[in-house]
PDB file of all heavy atoms in Angstrom:
ATOM      1  N   ALA B 225       3.290  47.385 -72.408  1.00 94.00           N
ATOM      2  CA  ALA B 225       3.843  46.107 -72.209  1.00 94.00           C
ATOM      3  C   ALA B 225       3.548  45.210 -73.336  1.00 94.00           C
ATOM      4  O   ALA B 225       2.581  45.426 -74.061  1.00 94.00           O
ATOM      5  CB  ALA B 225       3.215  45.483 -70.842  1.00 94.00           C
ATOM      6  N   SER B 226       4.413  44.150 -73.440  1.00 92.00           N
ATOM      7  CA  SER B 226       4.284  43.318 -74.658  1.00 92.00           C
ATOM      8  C   SER B 226       3.197  42.248 -74.453  1.00 92.00           C
ATOM      9  O   SER B 226       2.810  41.689 -75.463  1.00 92.00           O
ATOM     10  CB  SER B 226       5.608  42.658 -74.868  1.00 92.00           C
ATOM     11  OG  SER B 226       5.969  41.807 -73.786  1.00 92.00           O
ATOM     12  N   GLU B 231      -0.197  35.692 -70.313  1.00 86.00           N
ATOM     13  CA  GLU B 231       0.297  35.447 -71.649  1.00 86.00           C
ATOM     14  C   GLU B 231       1.818  35.470 -71.654  1.00 86.00           C
ATOM     15  O   GLU B 231       2.362  36.104 -70.863  1.00 86.00           O
ATOM     16  CB  GLU B 231      -0.184  36.494 -72.587  1.00 86.00           C
ATOM     17  CG  GLU B 231      -1.656  36.443 -72.943  1.00 86.00           C
ATOM     18  CD  GLU B 231      -1.986  37.576 -73.862  1.00 86.00           C
ATOM     19  OE1 GLU B 231      -1.090  38.489 -74.120  1.00 86.00           O
ATOM     20  OE2 GLU B 231      -3.020  37.583 -74.505  1.00 86.00           O
ATOM     21  N   ARG B 249       9.511  39.391 -80.305  1.00 90.00           N
ATOM     22  CA  ARG B 249       8.584  39.872 -81.294  1.00 90.00           C
ATOM     23  C   ARG B 249       8.178  41.272 -81.033  1.00 90.00           C
ATOM     24  O   ARG B 249       8.147  42.207 -81.964  1.00 90.00           O
ATOM     25  CB  ARG B 249       7.211  39.026 -81.352  1.00 90.00           C
ATOM     26  CG  ARG B 249       7.452  37.779 -82.000  1.00 90.00           C
ATOM     27  CD  ARG B 249       6.262  36.981 -82.127  1.00 90.00           C
ATOM     28  NE  ARG B 249       6.669  35.633 -82.543  1.00 90.00           N
ATOM     29  CZ  ARG B 249       5.851  34.841 -83.294  1.00 90.00           C
ATOM     30  NH1 ARG B 249       4.704  35.260 -83.714  1.00 90.00           N
ATOM     31  NH2 ARG B 249       6.295  33.620 -83.639  1.00 90.00           N
ATOM     32  N   TYR B 250       7.780  41.634 -79.878  1.00 92.00           N
ATOM     33  CA  TYR B 250       7.298  43.026 -79.553  1.00 92.00           C
ATOM     34  C   TYR B 250       8.345  44.075 -79.884  1.00 92.00           C
ATOM     35  O   TYR B 250       8.098  45.066 -80.597  1.00 92.00           O
ATOM     36  CB  TYR B 250       6.867  43.110 -78.101  1.00 92.00           C
ATOM     37  CG  TYR B 250       6.233  44.470 -77.849  1.00 92.00           C
ATOM     38  CD1 TYR B 250       5.044  44.883 -78.282  1.00 92.00           C
ATOM     39  CD2 TYR B 250       6.997  45.384 -77.097  1.00 92.00           C
ATOM     40  CE1 TYR B 250       4.437  46.049 -77.985  1.00 92.00           C
ATOM     41  CE2 TYR B 250       6.463  46.696 -76.814  1.00 92.00           C
ATOM     42  CZ  TYR B 250       5.190  46.904 -77.298  1.00 92.00           C
ATOM     43  OH  TYR B 250       4.662  48.186 -77.024  1.00 92.00           O
ATOM     44  N   TYR B 253       8.932  44.513 -83.730  1.00 91.00           N
ATOM     45  CA  TYR B 253       7.911  45.314 -84.433  1.00 91.00           C
ATOM     46  C   TYR B 253       8.053  46.805 -83.908  1.00 91.00           C
ATOM     47  O   TYR B 253       7.826  47.735 -84.697  1.00 91.00           O
ATOM     48  CB  TYR B 253       6.515  44.745 -84.322  1.00 91.00           C
ATOM     49  CG  TYR B 253       6.411  43.466 -85.144  1.00 91.00           C
ATOM     50  CD1 TYR B 253       6.239  42.279 -84.542  1.00 91.00           C
ATOM     51  CD2 TYR B 253       6.405  43.569 -86.546  1.00 91.00           C
ATOM     52  CE1 TYR B 253       6.169  41.098 -85.273  1.00 91.00           C
ATOM     53  CE2 TYR B 253       6.372  42.400 -87.308  1.00 91.00           C
ATOM     54  CZ  TYR B 253       6.286  41.174 -86.589  1.00 91.00           C
ATOM     55  OH  TYR B 253       6.071  40.045 -87.410  1.00 91.00           O
ATOM     56  N   LEU B 254       8.374  46.970 -82.654  1.00 92.00           N
ATOM     57  CA  LEU B 254       8.601  48.265 -82.164  1.00 92.00           C
ATOM     58  C   LEU B 254       9.756  48.941 -82.883  1.00 92.00           C
ATOM     59  O   LEU B 254       9.669  50.107 -83.304  1.00 92.00           O
ATOM     60  CB  LEU B 254       8.947  48.180 -80.634  1.00 92.00           C
ATOM     61  CG  LEU B 254       9.346  49.508 -79.995  1.00 92.00           C
ATOM     62  CD1 LEU B 254       8.123  50.298 -79.847  1.00 92.00           C
ATOM     63  CD2 LEU B 254       9.932  49.205 -78.556  1.00 92.00           C
ATOM     64  N   GLU B 256      10.718  48.149 -86.010  1.00 89.00           N
ATOM     65  CA  GLU B 256      10.309  48.424 -87.256  1.00 89.00           C
ATOM     66  C   GLU B 256       9.565  49.837 -87.341  1.00 89.00           C
ATOM     67  O   GLU B 256       9.698  50.625 -88.236  1.00 89.00           O
ATOM     68  CB  GLU B 256       9.405  47.314 -87.779  1.00 89.00           C
ATOM     69  CG  GLU B 256       9.976  46.592 -88.889  1.00 89.00           C
ATOM     70  CD  GLU B 256       8.984  45.470 -89.409  1.00 89.00           C
ATOM     71  OE1 GLU B 256       7.791  45.691 -89.297  1.00 89.00           O
ATOM     72  OE2 GLU B 256       9.468  44.473 -89.898  1.00 89.00           O
ATOM     73  N   PHE B 257       8.803  50.048 -86.359  1.00 92.00           N
ATOM     74  CA  PHE B 257       7.958  51.287 -86.218  1.00 92.00           C
ATOM     75  C   PHE B 257       8.942  52.423 -86.015  1.00 92.00           C
ATOM     76  O   PHE B 257       8.727  53.478 -86.624  1.00 92.00           O
ATOM     77  CB  PHE B 257       7.008  51.179 -84.975  1.00 92.00           C
ATOM     78  CG  PHE B 257       6.337  52.403 -84.721  1.00 92.00           C
ATOM     79  CD1 PHE B 257       5.210  52.826 -85.447  1.00 92.00           C
ATOM     80  CD2 PHE B 257       6.725  53.113 -83.596  1.00 92.00           C
ATOM     81  CE1 PHE B 257       4.609  53.908 -85.102  1.00 92.00           C
ATOM     82  CE2 PHE B 257       6.039  54.253 -83.273  1.00 92.00           C
ATOM     83  CZ  PHE B 257       5.004  54.689 -84.063  1.00 92.00           C
ATOM     84  N   ASP B 271      -0.154  55.855 -82.358  1.00 92.00           N
ATOM     85  CA  ASP B 271       0.462  54.866 -83.306  1.00 92.00           C
ATOM     86  C   ASP B 271       1.333  53.845 -82.651  1.00 92.00           C
ATOM     87  O   ASP B 271       1.373  52.704 -83.041  1.00 92.00           O
ATOM     88  CB  ASP B 271       1.171  55.633 -84.363  1.00 92.00           C
ATOM     89  CG  ASP B 271       0.390  56.654 -85.122  1.00 92.00           C
ATOM     90  OD1 ASP B 271      -0.753  56.295 -85.382  1.00 92.00           O
ATOM     91  OD2 ASP B 271       0.918  57.849 -85.269  1.00 92.00           O
ATOM     92  N   LEU B 272       1.929  54.287 -81.589  1.00 92.00           N
ATOM     93  CA  LEU B 272       2.796  53.316 -80.845  1.00 92.00           C
ATOM     94  C   LEU B 272       1.950  52.270 -80.201  1.00 92.00           C
ATOM     95  O   LEU B 272       2.385  51.053 -80.098  1.00 92.00           O
ATOM     96  CB  LEU B 272       3.640  54.036 -79.842  1.00 92.00           C
ATOM     97  CG  LEU B 272       4.763  53.250 -79.187  1.00 92.00           C
ATOM     98  CD1 LEU B 272       5.751  52.738 -80.115  1.00 92.00           C
ATOM     99  CD2 LEU B 272       5.440  54.156 -78.097  1.00 92.00           C
ATOM    100  N   PHE B 273       0.822  52.587 -79.736  1.00 92.00           N
ATOM    101  CA  PHE B 273      -0.125  51.724 -79.111  1.00 92.00           C
ATOM    102  C   PHE B 273      -0.512  50.544 -80.094  1.00 92.00           C
ATOM    103  O   PHE B 273      -0.823  49.470 -79.654  1.00 92.00           O
ATOM    104  CB  PHE B 273      -1.324  52.323 -78.435  1.00 92.00           C
ATOM    105  CG  PHE B 273      -1.066  53.253 -77.396  1.00 92.00           C
ATOM    106  CD1 PHE B 273      -1.861  54.323 -77.077  1.00 92.00           C
ATOM    107  CD2 PHE B 273       0.147  53.088 -76.626  1.00 92.00           C
ATOM    108  CE1 PHE B 273      -1.649  55.187 -76.051  1.00 92.00           C
ATOM    109  CE2 PHE B 273       0.405  53.996 -75.590  1.00 92.00           C
ATOM    110  CZ  PHE B 273      -0.464  55.040 -75.407  1.00 92.00           C
ATOM    111  N   LYS B 274      -0.516  50.845 -81.380  1.00 90.00           N
ATOM    112  CA  LYS B 274      -1.056  49.879 -82.344  1.00 90.00           C
ATOM    113  C   LYS B 274       0.113  48.902 -82.803  1.00 90.00           C
ATOM    114  O   LYS B 274      -0.074  48.032 -83.570  1.00 90.00           O
ATOM    115  CB  LYS B 274      -1.456  50.636 -83.599  1.00 90.00           C
ATOM    116  CG  LYS B 274      -2.704  51.522 -83.313  1.00 90.00           C
ATOM    117  CD  LYS B 274      -3.406  51.779 -84.638  1.00 90.00           C
ATOM    118  CE  LYS B 274      -4.263  53.093 -84.387  1.00 90.00           C
ATOM    119  NZ  LYS B 274      -3.787  54.293 -85.012  1.00 90.00           N
ATOM    120  N   VAL B 275       1.305  49.110 -82.271  1.00 89.00           N
ATOM    121  CA  VAL B 275       2.381  48.247 -82.667  1.00 89.00           C
ATOM    122  C   VAL B 275       2.145  46.877 -82.280  1.00 89.00           C
ATOM    123  O   VAL B 275       1.775  46.577 -81.160  1.00 89.00           O
ATOM    124  CB  VAL B 275       3.720  48.853 -82.140  1.00 89.00           C
ATOM    125  CG1 VAL B 275       4.863  47.876 -82.247  1.00 89.00           C
ATOM    126  CG2 VAL B 275       4.143  50.040 -82.928  1.00 89.00           C
ATOM    127  N   CYS B 276       2.485  45.942 -83.134  1.00 87.00           N
ATOM    128  CA  CYS B 276       2.488  44.512 -82.760  1.00 87.00           C
ATOM    129  C   CYS B 276       1.028  44.043 -82.388  1.00 87.00           C
ATOM    130  O   CYS B 276       0.946  43.645 -81.144  1.00 87.00           O
ATOM    131  CB  CYS B 276       3.470  44.225 -81.744  1.00 87.00           C
ATOM    132  SG  CYS B 276       4.070  42.532 -81.761  1.00 87.00           S
ATOM    133  N   PRO B 277       0.158  44.019 -83.297  1.00 85.00           N
ATOM    134  CA  PRO B 277      -1.200  43.387 -82.878  1.00 85.00           C
ATOM    135  C   PRO B 277      -1.118  41.961 -82.671  1.00 85.00           C
ATOM    136  O   PRO B 277      -0.067  41.365 -82.869  1.00 85.00           O
ATOM    137  CB  PRO B 277      -2.089  43.765 -84.118  1.00 85.00           C
ATOM    138  CG  PRO B 277      -1.128  43.944 -85.178  1.00 85.00           C
ATOM    139  CD  PRO B 277       0.138  44.469 -84.653  1.00 85.00           C
ATOM    140  N   LYS B 278      -2.185  41.395 -82.145  1.00 84.00           N
ATOM    141  CA  LYS B 278      -2.162  39.978 -81.816  1.00 84.00           C
ATOM    142  C   LYS B 278      -1.700  38.986 -82.912  1.00 84.00           C
ATOM    143  O   LYS B 278      -1.168  38.061 -82.791  1.00 84.00           O
ATOM    144  CB  LYS B 278      -3.428  39.587 -81.243  1.00 84.00           C
ATOM    145  CG  LYS B 278      -3.364  38.255 -80.522  1.00 84.00           C
ATOM    146  CD  LYS B 278      -4.558  38.032 -79.488  1.00 84.00           C
ATOM    147  CE  LYS B 278      -4.503  36.605 -79.122  1.00 84.00           C
ATOM    148  NZ  LYS B 278      -4.122  36.367 -77.819  1.00 84.00           N
ATOM    149  N   SER B 279      -2.108  39.445 -84.151  1.00 86.00           N
ATOM    150  CA  SER B 279      -1.780  38.542 -85.293  1.00 86.00           C
ATOM    151  C   SER B 279      -0.264  38.433 -85.505  1.00 86.00           C
ATOM    152  O   SER B 279       0.182  37.373 -85.882  1.00 86.00           O
ATOM    153  CB  SER B 279      -2.456  39.214 -86.554  1.00 86.00           C
ATOM    154  OG  SER B 279      -2.095  40.456 -86.633  1.00 86.00           O
ATOM    155  N   GLN B 280       0.351  39.481 -85.218  1.00 84.00           N
ATOM    156  CA  GLN B 280       1.834  39.434 -85.416  1.00 84.00           C
ATOM    157  C   GLN B 280       2.562  38.924 -84.154  1.00 84.00           C
ATOM    158  O   GLN B 280       3.628  38.294 -84.259  1.00 84.00           O
ATOM    159  CB  GLN B 280       2.401  40.847 -85.744  1.00 84.00           C
ATOM    160  CG  GLN B 280       2.143  41.150 -87.208  1.00 84.00           C
ATOM    161  CD  GLN B 280       2.659  42.590 -87.473  1.00 84.00           C
ATOM    162  OE1 GLN B 280       2.563  43.476 -86.665  1.00 84.00           O
ATOM    163  NE2 GLN B 280       3.010  42.795 -88.722  1.00 84.00           N
ATOM    164  N   CYS B 281       2.024  39.246 -83.032  1.00 83.00           N
ATOM    165  CA  CYS B 281       2.809  39.202 -81.799  1.00 83.00           C
ATOM    166  C   CYS B 281       2.444  37.833 -81.072  1.00 83.00           C
ATOM    167  O   CYS B 281       3.154  37.556 -80.165  1.00 83.00           O
ATOM    168  CB  CYS B 281       2.497  40.267 -80.895  1.00 83.00           C
ATOM    169  SG  CYS B 281       3.913  41.376 -80.770  1.00 83.00           S
ATOM    170  N   ALA B 282       1.290  37.296 -81.345  1.00 86.00           N
ATOM    171  CA  ALA B 282       0.822  36.113 -80.602  1.00 86.00           C
ATOM    172  C   ALA B 282       0.575  36.410 -79.073  1.00 86.00           C
ATOM    173  O   ALA B 282       0.115  35.561 -78.367  1.00 86.00           O
ATOM    174  CB  ALA B 282       1.786  34.921 -80.632  1.00 86.00           C
ATOM    175  N   SER B 283       0.837  37.629 -78.702  1.00 89.00           N
ATOM    176  CA  SER B 283       0.411  38.033 -77.266  1.00 89.00           C
ATOM    177  C   SER B 283      -0.265  39.348 -77.495  1.00 89.00           C
ATOM    178  O   SER B 283      -0.092  40.087 -78.504  1.00 89.00           O
ATOM    179  CB  SER B 283       1.656  38.094 -76.367  1.00 89.00           C
ATOM    180  OG  SER B 283       2.501  39.118 -76.850  1.00 89.00           O
ATOM    181  N   THR B 284      -1.045  39.815 -76.560  1.00 90.00           N
ATOM    182  CA  THR B 284      -1.744  41.037 -76.659  1.00 90.00           C
ATOM    183  C   THR B 284      -0.970  42.190 -75.916  1.00 90.00           C
ATOM    184  O   THR B 284      -0.929  42.193 -74.706  1.00 90.00           O
ATOM    185  CB  THR B 284      -3.174  41.028 -76.008  1.00 90.00           C
ATOM    186  OG1 THR B 284      -3.632  39.638 -76.224  1.00 90.00           O
ATOM    187  CG2 THR B 284      -4.055  42.010 -76.675  1.00 90.00           C
ATOM    188  N   PRO B 285      -0.396  43.063 -76.736  1.00 92.00           N
ATOM    189  CA  PRO B 285       0.283  44.175 -75.979  1.00 92.00           C
ATOM    190  C   PRO B 285      -0.758  44.991 -75.178  1.00 92.00           C
ATOM    191  O   PRO B 285      -1.882  45.225 -75.614  1.00 92.00           O
ATOM    192  CB  PRO B 285       0.951  44.973 -77.127  1.00 92.00           C
ATOM    193  CG  PRO B 285       0.859  44.109 -78.264  1.00 92.00           C
ATOM    194  CD  PRO B 285      -0.284  43.186 -78.116  1.00 92.00           C
ATOM    195  N   GLY B 286      -0.302  45.527 -74.170  1.00 91.00           N
ATOM    196  CA  GLY B 286      -1.202  46.351 -73.287  1.00 91.00           C
ATOM    197  C   GLY B 286      -0.510  47.769 -73.119  1.00 91.00           C
ATOM    198  O   GLY B 286       0.657  47.944 -73.258  1.00 91.00           O
TER     199      GLY B 286
END
Side-chain angles (χ1 to χ4, degrees):
Chain B
S226 60
E231 285 181 351
R249 285 184 191 212
Y250 182 74
Y253 291 109
L254 176 69
E256 249 185 26
F257 173 78
D271 301 317
L272 189 61
F273 295 154
K274 296 195 198 111
V275 162
C276 204
K278 194 162 168 104
S279 51
Q280 283 174 330
C281 254
S283 62
T284 324

